[in-house]
């Protein structure tokens, strides 16, 4: 039987490795959403994240907004910003132009993704004529342009389009070998899926970090629909925790924070030291989770 002080999550900050956190945002569409975006950025920036990343809308639809938001995050808060980038629906030259735009704006971190077919997340991806073939090809293209810190995607439950785990891990390895620094995972709710991914990656000789992407469940309805779209599963025990809470926001919020705390602290106890939080531009749950990780605003 272990004692509480043996748990990494209960050690004092000086007795455990320093944790690294990063936050993911999406580019706001309206003025009201933009106000919320900045409110959250200003609450989370004092936690000294390694970087704040801003996603790239399906099919490159947010190209200008992503660039504007990452540039402003960096100049307004001093926090390092990372721009997501996909190769959907664009030629190599067009994608390279976006990369040069990031470079000119002083953005040195890119989250490089293939993206999904405009026909829908589950539909087969069709390479644009003259476009990058996949994320590994995109990483190599970015590397040719400059010395970026590149993150790529990893999938604790396998990407829906990979036929088997060998294909999945080979692809992850290709992306890292092409010059990516780390991988960040898709959301997952069963830590065992993530631990198995780490084992599979280690067995394939992957040494780069595979940072868990943590999705706090602000709204079970919304997050379960996102999860279904991207091939992440909702375990029955998780669904039952939120059952019947649609009209009880207070209990829903308390359950959400308990669920996320349980997930994150279990990861810390297993020795995980890097976390990427999917904020959906909200700060409350993430602020609480960062506190559990020993991070406080300055
Ligand atoms: P890839 O790594 O290229 O792989 C996609 C699939 O193709 C895999 O099944 C792989 O095995 C297979 N494959 C690749 N190359 C080959 C090959 N040569 N032969 C056979 N099979 C191959 N989407 C957005 O639109 N905007 C975002 O900002 C965004 N941010 C994300 C951030 C994170 C952390 C994650 C996890 C996902 C994000 N996505 C985003 C979603 C992502 O675009 C999709 O999951 C997409 O379906 C796959 O992208 P990928 O980079 O993993 O593709």
């Amino acid at each position: 039987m272990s004692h509480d002080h043996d748990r990494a999550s209960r050690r004092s900050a000086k007795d455990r490795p320093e944790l690294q956190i990063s936050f993911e945002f999406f580019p706001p569409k309206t003025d009201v959403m933009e106000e919320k975006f900045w409110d959250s950025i200003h609450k989370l920036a004092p936690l000294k994240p390694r970087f704040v990343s801003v996603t790239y809308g399906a099919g490159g639809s947010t190209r200008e907004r992503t660039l504007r938001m990452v540039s402003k995050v960096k100049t307004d808060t001093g926090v390092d910003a990372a721009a997501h980038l996909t190769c959907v629906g664009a030629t190599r030259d067009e994608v390279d132009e976006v990369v040069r735009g990031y470079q000119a704006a002083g953005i040195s971190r890119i989250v490089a993704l293939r993206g999904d077919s405009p026909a829908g997340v589950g539909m087969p991806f069709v390479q644009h004529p003259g476009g990058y073939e996949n994320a590994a090809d995109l990483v190599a293209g970015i590397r040719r342009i400059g010395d970026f810190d590149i993150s790529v995607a990893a999938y604790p439950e396998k990407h829906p389009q990979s036929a088997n785990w060998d294909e999945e891990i080979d692809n992850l390895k290709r992306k890292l070998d092409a010059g990516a620094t780390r991988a960040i995972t898709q959301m997952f709710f069963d830590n065992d899926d993530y631990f198995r991914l780490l084992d599979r990656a280690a067995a394939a000789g992957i040494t780069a970090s595979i940072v868990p992407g943590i999705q706090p469940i602000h709204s079970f309805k919304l997050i379960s629909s996102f999860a279904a779209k991207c091939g992440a599963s909702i375990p029955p025990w998780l669904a039952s925790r939120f059952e019947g809470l649609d009209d009880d926001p207070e209990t829903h919020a308390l359950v959400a924070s308990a669920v996320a705390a349980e997930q994150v602290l279990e990861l810390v106890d297993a020795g995980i030291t890097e976390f990427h939080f999917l904020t959906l531009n909200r700060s409350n749950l993430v602020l609480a989770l960062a506190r559990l990780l020993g991070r406080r605003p300055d």
Side-chain angles (χ1 to χ4, degrees):
M1 174 101 182
S2 69
H3 295 285
D4 278 352
H5 61 260
D6 293 335
R7 293 175 56 175
S9 59
R10 297 207 175 155
R11 280 184 214 140
S12 65
K14 66 174 177 29
D15 294 329
R16 65 183 191 198
E18 214 206 316
L19 300 175
Q20 292 275 6
I21 53 178
S22 51
F23 303 131
E24 182 172 310
F25 282 72
F26 66 88
K29 273 201 192 104
T30 62
D31 289 351
V32 173
M33 284 164 83
E34 183 154 346
E35 214 170 286
K36 205 163 149 197
F37 174 98
W38 288 113
D39 178 60
S40 297
I41 291 275
H42 290 301
K43 286 194 177 120
L44 294 176
L47 296 169
K48 295 206 221 70
R50 171 153 67 183
F51 60 82
V52 162
S53 80
V54 180
T55 58
Y56 201 71
S61 54
T62 65
R63 184 199 267 214
E64 279 74 30
R65 265 183 291 143
T66 298
L67 174 60
R68 184 162 65 84
M69 300 327 274
V70 284
S71 309
K72 206 161 146 45
V73 164
K74 194 157 182 180
T75 50
D76 280 18
T77 66
V79 167
D80 235 356
H84 291 224
L85 175 65
T86 73
C87 46
V88 177
T91 63
R92 284 168 184 254
D93 285 350
E94 285 163 346
V95 172
D96 291 356
E97 209 41 53
V98 178
V99 175
R100 287 198 193 90
Y102 291 154
Q103 197 175 36
I107 303 302
S108 60
R109 295 175 183 267
I110 294 182
V111 184
L113 307 139
R114 184 197 70 179
D116 290 300
S117 159
V121 174
M123 303 305 281
F125 175 79
V126 181
Q127 181 184 359
H128 188 276
Y132 286 107
E133 187 189 345
N134 51 32
D137 195 21
L138 174 62
V139 170
I142 297 170
R143 272 270 164 266
R144 281 193 291 273
I145 296 172
D147 184 21
F148 289 93
D149 170 284
I150 304 174
S151 302
V152 291
Y155 300 86
E157 297 176 76
K158 199 161 72 52
H159 187 277
Q161 286 156 5
S162 293
N164 53 50
W165 274 106
D166 284 346
E167 255 185 40
E168 178 71 25
I169 299 295
D170 281 354
N171 183 54
L172 176 59
K173 192 161 191 315
R174 267 198 303 277
K175 294 193 277 193
L176 292 162
D177 289 346
T181 313
R182 77 184 62 75
I184 301 175
T185 76
Q186 183 60 273
M187 65 175 89
F188 59 94
F189 300 101
D190 184 340
N191 284 343
D192 285 344
D193 289 327
Y194 171 71
F195 295 138
R196 276 191 290 268
L197 170 67
L198 295 188
D199 289 344
R200 288 180 165 117
I206 291 173
T207 53
S209 308
I210 300 178
V211 181
I214 305 295
Q215 176 66 74
I217 305 180
H218 310 98
S219 154
F220 182 71
K221 233 177 170 169
L222 187 71
I223 301 302
S224 29
S225 97
F226 283 176
K229 279 191 197 131
C230 67
S233 55
I234 303 284
W237 57 263
L238 182 58
S240 84
R241 287 181 180 181
F242 286 97
E243 209 176 285
L245 292 183
D246 284 359
D247 301 320
D248 183 354
E250 216 171 295
T251 311
H252 185 296
L254 290 168
V255 171
S257 78
V259 162
E262 180 182 74
Q263 177 172 28
V264 163
L265 294 177
E266 189 179 298
L267 293 170
V268 173
D269 287 338
I272 304 305
T273 57
E274 298 170 86
F275 294 86
H276 182 74
F277 291 101
L278 310 169
T279 69
L280 290 180
N281 298 4
R282 291 159 179 259
S283 59
N284 54 354
L285 271 172
V286 176
L287 269 174
L289 292 170
R291 214 158 234 280
L292 297 184
L293 298 178
R295 295 296 271 263
R296 310 235 167 101
D298 285 336

